[in-house]
mmCIF file of all heavy atoms in Angstrom:
data_model
loop_
_atom_site.group_PDB
_atom_site.id
_atom_site.type_symbol
_atom_site.label_atom_id
_atom_site.label_comp_id
_atom_site.label_asym_id
_atom_site.label_seq_id
_atom_site.Cartn_x
_atom_site.Cartn_y
_atom_site.Cartn_z
ATOM 1 N N ARG A 1 -18.048 -5.282 22.163
ATOM 2 C CA ARG A 1 -17.581 -5.431 20.740
ATOM 3 C C ARG A 1 -16.862 -4.244 20.245
ATOM 4 O O ARG A 1 -16.901 -3.852 19.116
ATOM 5 C CB ARG A 1 -18.942 -5.606 19.889
ATOM 6 C CG ARG A 1 -19.713 -6.654 20.326
ATOM 7 C CD ARG A 1 -21.041 -6.900 19.416
ATOM 8 N NE ARG A 1 -21.589 -5.571 19.221
ATOM 9 C CZ ARG A 1 -22.836 -5.227 19.378
ATOM 10 N NH1 ARG A 1 -23.712 -6.107 19.815
ATOM 11 N NH2 ARG A 1 -23.325 -4.000 19.089
ATOM 12 N N ALA A 2 -15.991 -3.841 21.173
ATOM 13 C CA ALA A 2 -15.058 -2.623 20.847
ATOM 14 C C ALA A 2 -14.328 -2.695 19.645
ATOM 15 O O ALA A 2 -14.126 -1.724 18.890
ATOM 16 C CB ALA A 2 -14.256 -2.246 21.985
ATOM 17 N N ASP A 3 -13.773 -3.890 19.301
ATOM 18 C CA ASP A 3 -13.004 -4.040 18.012
ATOM 19 C C ASP A 3 -13.796 -4.130 16.698
ATOM 20 O O ASP A 3 -13.252 -4.112 15.681
ATOM 21 C CB ASP A 3 -12.121 -5.356 18.184
ATOM 22 C CG ASP A 3 -11.040 -5.144 19.230
ATOM 23 O OD1 ASP A 3 -10.700 -4.001 19.512
ATOM 24 O OD2 ASP A 3 -10.593 -6.150 19.755
ATOM 25 N N GLU A 4 -15.129 -4.225 16.802
ATOM 26 C CA GLU A 4 -15.957 -4.340 15.553
ATOM 27 C C GLU A 4 -15.927 -3.022 14.840
ATOM 28 O O GLU A 4 -16.097 -1.982 15.348
ATOM 29 C CB GLU A 4 -17.409 -4.680 16.051
ATOM 30 C CG GLU A 4 -18.328 -4.804 14.935
ATOM 31 C CD GLU A 4 -19.773 -4.977 15.465
ATOM 32 O OE1 GLU A 4 -20.033 -5.412 16.520
ATOM 33 O OE2 GLU A 4 -20.733 -4.715 14.699
ATOM 34 N N VAL A 5 -15.676 -3.150 13.571
ATOM 35 C CA VAL A 5 -15.720 -2.025 12.693
ATOM 36 C C VAL A 5 -17.103 -1.641 12.406
ATOM 37 O O VAL A 5 -17.914 -2.383 12.014
ATOM 38 C CB VAL A 5 -15.034 -2.288 11.346
ATOM 39 C CG1 VAL A 5 -15.157 -1.160 10.337
ATOM 40 C CG2 VAL A 5 -13.517 -2.618 11.658
ATOM 41 N N ILE A 6 -17.474 -0.390 12.648
ATOM 42 C CA ILE A 6 -18.763 0.176 12.536
ATOM 43 C C ILE A 6 -18.932 0.932 11.243
ATOM 44 O O ILE A 6 -20.045 1.041 10.770
ATOM 45 C CB ILE A 6 -19.193 0.924 13.750
ATOM 46 C CG1 ILE A 6 -20.739 1.161 13.811
ATOM 47 C CG2 ILE A 6 -18.526 2.312 13.810
ATOM 48 C CD1 ILE A 6 -21.219 1.724 15.168
ATOM 49 N N CYS A 7 -17.790 1.425 10.706
ATOM 50 C CA CYS A 7 -17.751 2.112 9.398
ATOM 51 C C CYS A 7 -16.654 1.575 8.538
ATOM 52 O O CYS A 7 -15.547 1.657 8.857
ATOM 53 C CB CYS A 7 -17.494 3.529 9.633
ATOM 54 S SG CYS A 7 -17.303 4.559 8.075
ATOM 55 N N ASP A 8 -17.162 0.762 7.500
ATOM 56 C CA ASP A 8 -16.182 0.080 6.503
ATOM 57 C C ASP A 8 -15.450 1.078 5.817
ATOM 58 O O ASP A 8 -14.249 0.838 5.444
ATOM 59 C CB ASP A 8 -16.982 -0.784 5.650
ATOM 60 C CG ASP A 8 -17.445 -2.038 6.433
ATOM 61 O OD1 ASP A 8 -16.792 -2.497 7.341
ATOM 62 O OD2 ASP A 8 -18.565 -2.491 6.042
ATOM 63 N N CYS A 9 -15.953 2.271 5.431
ATOM 64 C CA CYS A 9 -15.189 3.243 4.627
ATOM 65 C C CYS A 9 -14.057 3.896 5.284
ATOM 66 O O CYS A 9 -12.956 4.024 4.649
ATOM 67 C CB CYS A 9 -16.196 4.447 4.292
ATOM 68 S SG CYS A 9 -17.553 3.975 3.056
ATOM 69 N N SER A 10 -14.163 4.160 6.613
ATOM 70 C CA SER A 10 -13.116 4.741 7.403
ATOM 71 C C SER A 10 -12.384 3.822 8.298
ATOM 72 O O SER A 10 -11.276 4.107 8.838
ATOM 73 C CB SER A 10 -13.628 5.950 8.153
ATOM 74 O OG SER A 10 -14.427 5.397 9.206
ATOM 75 N N GLY A 11 -12.967 2.554 8.499
ATOM 76 C CA GLY A 11 -12.370 1.642 9.400
ATOM 77 C C GLY A 11 -12.555 2.012 10.872
ATOM 78 O O GLY A 11 -11.984 1.426 11.754
ATOM 79 N N THR A 12 -13.549 2.873 11.126
ATOM 80 C CA THR A 12 -13.839 3.332 12.536
ATOM 81 C C THR A 12 -14.490 2.152 13.285
ATOM 82 O O THR A 12 -15.399 1.515 12.817
ATOM 83 C CB THR A 12 -14.798 4.453 12.460
ATOM 84 O OG1 THR A 12 -14.198 5.636 11.778
ATOM 85 C CG2 THR A 12 -15.056 4.954 13.884
ATOM 86 N N THR A 13 -13.946 1.825 14.450
ATOM 87 C CA THR A 13 -14.398 0.835 15.380
ATOM 88 C C THR A 13 -15.452 1.371 16.317
ATOM 89 O O THR A 13 -15.530 2.619 16.685
ATOM 90 C CB THR A 13 -13.367 0.032 16.119
ATOM 91 O OG1 THR A 13 -12.677 1.117 16.949
ATOM 92 C CG2 THR A 13 -12.318 -0.468 15.153
ATOM 93 N N ARG A 14 -16.213 0.442 16.915
ATOM 94 C CA ARG A 14 -17.121 0.834 18.011
ATOM 95 C C ARG A 14 -16.245 1.436 19.196
ATOM 96 O O ARG A 14 -16.706 2.351 19.789
ATOM 97 C CB ARG A 14 -17.804 -0.402 18.508
ATOM 98 C CG ARG A 14 -18.970 -0.890 17.713
ATOM 99 C CD ARG A 14 -19.585 -2.240 18.254
ATOM 100 N NE ARG A 14 -20.821 -2.390 17.588
ATOM 101 C CZ ARG A 14 -21.979 -1.752 17.860
ATOM 102 N NH1 ARG A 14 -21.967 -0.872 18.789
ATOM 103 N NH2 ARG A 14 -23.164 -2.079 17.225
ATOM 104 N N GLY A 15 -15.126 0.884 19.396
ATOM 105 C CA GLY A 15 -14.176 1.318 20.515
ATOM 106 C C GLY A 15 -13.765 2.771 20.259
ATOM 107 O O GLY A 15 -13.719 3.558 21.259
ATOM 108 N N LYS A 16 -13.582 3.138 19.091
ATOM 109 C CA LYS A 16 -13.233 4.544 18.838
ATOM 110 C C LYS A 16 -14.402 5.488 19.127
ATOM 111 O O LYS A 16 -14.261 6.532 19.682
ATOM 112 C CB LYS A 16 -12.820 4.741 17.263
ATOM 113 C CG LYS A 16 -12.501 6.175 16.899
ATOM 114 C CD LYS A 16 -11.237 6.612 17.731
ATOM 115 C CE LYS A 16 -10.856 8.135 17.282
ATOM 116 N NZ LYS A 16 -9.841 8.677 18.143
ATOM 117 N N ILE A 17 -15.634 5.129 18.723
ATOM 118 C CA ILE A 17 -16.813 5.959 19.071
ATOM 119 C C ILE A 17 -16.954 5.946 20.608
ATOM 120 O O ILE A 17 -17.311 7.040 21.141
ATOM 121 C CB ILE A 17 -18.105 5.317 18.378
ATOM 122 C CG1 ILE A 17 -17.925 5.178 16.877
ATOM 123 C CG2 ILE A 17 -19.281 6.127 18.831
ATOM 124 C CD1 ILE A 17 -17.770 6.414 16.090
ATOM 125 N N ILE A 18 -16.838 4.788 21.203
ATOM 126 C CA ILE A 18 -16.974 4.819 22.687
ATOM 127 C C ILE A 18 -15.956 5.742 23.303
ATOM 128 O O ILE A 18 -16.297 6.548 24.299
ATOM 129 C CB ILE A 18 -16.840 3.430 23.240
ATOM 130 C CG1 ILE A 18 -17.973 2.514 22.822
ATOM 131 C CG2 ILE A 18 -16.576 3.397 24.746
ATOM 132 C CD1 ILE A 18 -17.721 0.996 22.947
ATOM 133 N N SER A 19 -14.747 5.792 22.857
ATOM 134 C CA SER A 19 -13.632 6.634 23.406
ATOM 135 C C SER A 19 -14.108 8.104 23.182
ATOM 136 O O SER A 19 -13.908 8.918 24.040
ATOM 137 C CB SER A 19 -12.343 6.341 22.661
ATOM 138 O OG SER A 19 -11.317 7.223 22.939
ATOM 139 N N LEU A 20 -14.710 8.496 22.011
ATOM 140 C CA LEU A 20 -14.971 9.794 21.772
ATOM 141 C C LEU A 20 -16.137 10.202 22.733
ATOM 142 O O LEU A 20 -16.118 11.293 23.165
ATOM 143 C CB LEU A 20 -15.425 10.022 20.247
ATOM 144 C CG LEU A 20 -14.294 9.917 19.290
ATOM 145 C CD1 LEU A 20 -14.819 9.931 17.834
ATOM 146 C CD2 LEU A 20 -13.303 11.037 19.539
ATOM 147 N N VAL A 21 -17.053 9.338 22.859
ATOM 148 C CA VAL A 21 -18.162 9.594 23.849
ATOM 149 C C VAL A 21 -17.642 9.850 25.309
ATOM 150 O O VAL A 21 -18.000 10.697 25.991
ATOM 151 C CB VAL A 21 -19.277 8.519 23.738
ATOM 152 C CG1 VAL A 21 -20.288 8.710 24.889
ATOM 153 C CG2 VAL A 21 -19.888 8.544 22.417
ATOM 154 N N GLU A 22 -16.700 9.081 25.653
ATOM 155 C CA GLU A 22 -16.135 9.254 26.969
ATOM 156 C C GLU A 22 -15.438 10.567 27.071
ATOM 157 O O GLU A 22 -15.231 11.079 28.191
ATOM 158 C CB GLU A 22 -15.142 8.021 27.218
ATOM 159 C CG GLU A 22 -15.875 6.681 27.530
ATOM 160 C CD GLU A 22 -14.919 5.537 27.530
ATOM 161 O OE1 GLU A 22 -13.796 5.590 27.161
ATOM 162 O OE2 GLU A 22 -15.412 4.438 28.005
ATOM 163 N N GLN A 23 -15.004 11.151 25.981
ATOM 164 C CA GLN A 23 -14.373 12.446 25.921
ATOM 165 C C GLN A 23 -15.365 13.580 25.922
ATOM 166 O O GLN A 23 -15.020 14.742 25.819
ATOM 167 C CB GLN A 23 -13.365 12.588 24.780
ATOM 168 C CG GLN A 23 -12.215 11.604 24.827
ATOM 169 C CD GLN A 23 -11.449 11.651 23.638
ATOM 170 O OE1 GLN A 23 -11.116 12.636 23.034
ATOM 171 N NE2 GLN A 23 -11.103 10.363 23.081
ATOM 172 N N GLY A 24 -16.686 13.202 25.846
ATOM 173 C CA GLY A 24 -17.702 14.172 25.810
ATOM 174 C C GLY A 24 -18.204 14.493 24.322
ATOM 175 O O GLY A 24 -18.989 15.409 24.144
ATOM 176 N N ILE A 25 -17.724 13.864 23.378
ATOM 177 C CA ILE A 25 -18.145 14.105 22.024
ATOM 178 C C ILE A 25 -19.266 13.191 21.683
ATOM 179 O O ILE A 25 -19.142 11.925 21.572
ATOM 180 C CB ILE A 25 -16.940 13.786 21.025
ATOM 181 C CG1 ILE A 25 -15.854 14.705 21.287
ATOM 182 C CG2 ILE A 25 -17.459 13.913 19.592
ATOM 183 C CD1 ILE A 25 -14.483 14.459 20.701
ATOM 184 N N VAL A 26 -20.501 13.793 21.554
ATOM 185 C CA VAL A 26 -21.768 12.918 21.440
ATOM 186 C C VAL A 26 -22.540 13.399 20.219
ATOM 187 O O VAL A 26 -23.718 12.881 20.069
ATOM 188 C CB VAL A 26 -22.566 13.032 22.724
ATOM 189 C CG1 VAL A 26 -21.855 12.406 23.853
ATOM 190 C CG2 VAL A 26 -22.996 14.467 23.009
ATOM 191 N N ASP A 27 -21.919 14.143 19.289
ATOM 192 C CA ASP A 27 -22.763 14.524 18.181
ATOM 193 C C ASP A 27 -22.100 13.864 16.853
ATOM 194 O O ASP A 27 -20.837 13.767 16.711
ATOM 195 C CB ASP A 27 -22.962 15.975 17.945
ATOM 196 C CG ASP A 27 -21.611 16.649 17.681
ATOM 197 O OD1 ASP A 27 -20.773 16.856 18.726
ATOM 198 O OD2 ASP A 27 -21.331 17.035 16.538
ATOM 199 N N THR A 28 -22.958 13.510 15.921
ATOM 200 C CA THR A 28 -22.402 12.863 14.738
ATOM 201 C C THR A 28 -21.539 13.676 13.827
ATOM 202 O O THR A 28 -20.624 13.157 13.228
ATOM 203 C CB THR A 28 -23.606 12.241 13.878
ATOM 204 O OG1 THR A 28 -24.511 13.289 13.569
ATOM 205 C CG2 THR A 28 -24.359 11.201 14.624
ATOM 206 N N ASP A 29 -21.746 14.987 13.844
ATOM 207 C CA ASP A 29 -20.901 15.904 12.992
ATOM 208 C C ASP A 29 -19.485 15.821 13.516
ATOM 209 O O ASP A 29 -18.535 15.631 12.711
ATOM 210 C CB ASP A 29 -21.449 17.245 12.996
ATOM 211 C CG ASP A 29 -22.661 17.444 12.208
ATOM 212 O OD1 ASP A 29 -23.002 16.573 11.318
ATOM 213 O OD2 ASP A 29 -23.398 18.444 12.407
ATOM 214 N N THR A 30 -19.286 15.909 14.804
ATOM 215 C CA THR A 30 -17.887 15.891 15.322
ATOM 216 C C THR A 30 -17.271 14.501 15.200
ATOM 217 O O THR A 30 -16.153 14.371 14.898
ATOM 218 C CB THR A 30 -17.873 16.376 16.826
ATOM 219 O OG1 THR A 30 -18.514 17.688 16.896
ATOM 220 C CG2 THR A 30 -16.484 16.433 17.336
#
């Protein structure tokens, strides 16, 4: 479900979060 918007305010998708995790970013602040 990579195209699913997970944050309506910013338009952030699941895919964007997955991409950040793949880059080693795993904390909510970053």
Side-chain angles (χ1 to χ4, degrees):
R1 302 179 318 231
D3 291 336
E4 180 182 339
V5 173
I6 197 167
C7 174
D8 289 325
C9 295
S10 69
T12 301
T13 63
R14 287 179 163 281
K16 179 62 177 175
I17 304 293
I18 292 166
S19 175
L20 291 172
V21 170
E22 288 171 346
Q23 296 171 47
I25 298 167
V26 296
D27 64 281
T28 55
D29 289 339
T30 304

